[in-house]
Amino acid sequence: MKPSLVDIHARINGRSVGVLGNERFYKFAVFLPLIERQGELHVLFEVRAHTLRRQPGEVCFPGGKVDRHDRNPKNAAIRETCEELGILEREVSVMGELDFLVTSFQSIVYPFAGIINVATELSPNPDEVEEVFTVPLSHFINNPPERHDIRVHVKPDDSFPFHLIPNGEEYNWSSSNMPEFFYYYRDYVIWGMTARILYHFIQLLDENK
């Protein structure tokens, strides 16, 4: 088949765009939960169960993989929050979507922010959640994170066809710095993707002052 200009126009004009190659990416949804405590807004965090295979004992937000039966990432974020914290869907109110995050491990993370009903009794799932704690939102506004950069390099595998590219094995690969943020509260360390999402959220609040 030789596509004509009419065919090409029909294929690409007005299409919904996405991240190139995203069909191979894992999709995750995360919920940044706000909760009111004694008249003050707090951010709620989980400590991942130490029995989990991935990132045991780390501080995180509720969230997980977007499943096939989820209507969309927002629905997945609510479902995961309810499953992990033992609450009902009507007790979760999503205020909006934050910028999605494309990781270097072929994953797309869709973060949302919202409120958990202050009257809700939490019953965390012990298979996933070691403990739950909250931090006043003002703590993060008044205490910027510590930043450290991670250097990211390209390392082709042994079968890479260096003979097909200019300069072969001496090719000048690009590298980059990836910022890692660290927030501290009492004995808790908040870092990694959770800290990046939190930092983005705090920046949005600063922009709207």
Side-chain angles (χ1 to χ4, degrees):
M1 173 185 173
K2 294 183 179 180
S4 68
L5 288 177
V6 173
D7 294 329
I8 294 172
H9 184 272
R11 289 292 184 116
I12 67 175
N13 182 53
R15 67 181 294 273
S16 298
V17 300
V19 178
L20 187 65
N22 78 88
E23 67 278 357
R24 300 189 305 274
F25 281 45
Y26 297 103
K27 276 70 168 194
F28 297 91
V30 172
F31 185 59
L32 189 160
L34 300 174
I35 188 167
E36 193 169 1
R37 292 281 168 88
Q38 298 178 337
E40 184 177 7
L41 280 177
H42 283 229
V43 182
L44 183 144
F45 297 92
E46 299 175 352
V47 177
R48 291 172 60 82
H50 291 284
T51 53
L52 291 174
R53 183 174 59 85
R54 294 180 63 252
Q55 300 170 310
E58 292 197 14
V59 175
C60 68
F61 292 127
K65 190 175 180 181
V66 179
D67 291 338
R68 285 178 296 178
H69 62 265
D70 290 318
R71 295 191 300 275
N72 48 50
K74 176 182 174 181
N75 176 250
I78 295 173
R79 175 184 57 76
E80 287 283 352
T81 298
C82 293
E83 290 175 359
E84 293 175 14
L85 297 180
I87 58 179
L88 300 176
E89 183 174 334
R90 67 171 180 265
E91 297 166 326
V92 178
S93 177
V94 175
M95 294 189 294
E97 186 172 5
L98 307 178
D99 289 348
F100 65 84
L101 177 66
V102 179
T103 77
S104 55
F105 303 104
Q106 291 195 316
S107 297
I108 303 177
V109 182
Y110 299 92
F112 299 83
I115 300 171
I116 292 179
N117 186 339
V118 70
T120 299
E121 183 69 29
L122 303 179
S123 300
N125 179 356
D127 292 334
E128 297 187 69
V129 182
E130 186 76 18
E131 64 172 299
V132 171
F133 67 96
T134 70
V135 181
L137 179 59
S138 59
H139 173 81
F140 300 115
I141 295 173
N142 298 326
N143 296 278
E146 186 177 290
R147 172 176 170 161
H148 298 275
D149 289 344
I150 295 178
R151 193 74 170 167
V152 180
H153 297 277
V154 175
K155 188 179 185 303
D157 62 28
D158 293 339
S159 64
F160 188 84
F162 287 103
H163 64 284
L164 298 179
I165 63 175
N167 297 324
E169 295 187 22
E170 302 303 317
Y171 185 83
N172 186 22
W173 297 97
S174 297
S175 61
S176 64
N177 285 331
M178 184 176 74
E180 283 286 358
F181 299 106
F182 288 78
Y183 288 98
Y184 305 100
Y185 182 74
R186 296 180 179 172
D187 293 333
Y188 299 105
V189 177
I190 302 162
W191 76 292
M193 184 181 67
T194 302
R196 291 182 69 183
I197 294 171
L198 178 61
Y199 179 78
H200 167 50
F201 178 67
I202 298 301
Q203 291 296 104
L204 290 177
L205 301 184
D206 287 343
E207 289 175 5
N208 294 325
K209 282 184 179 178

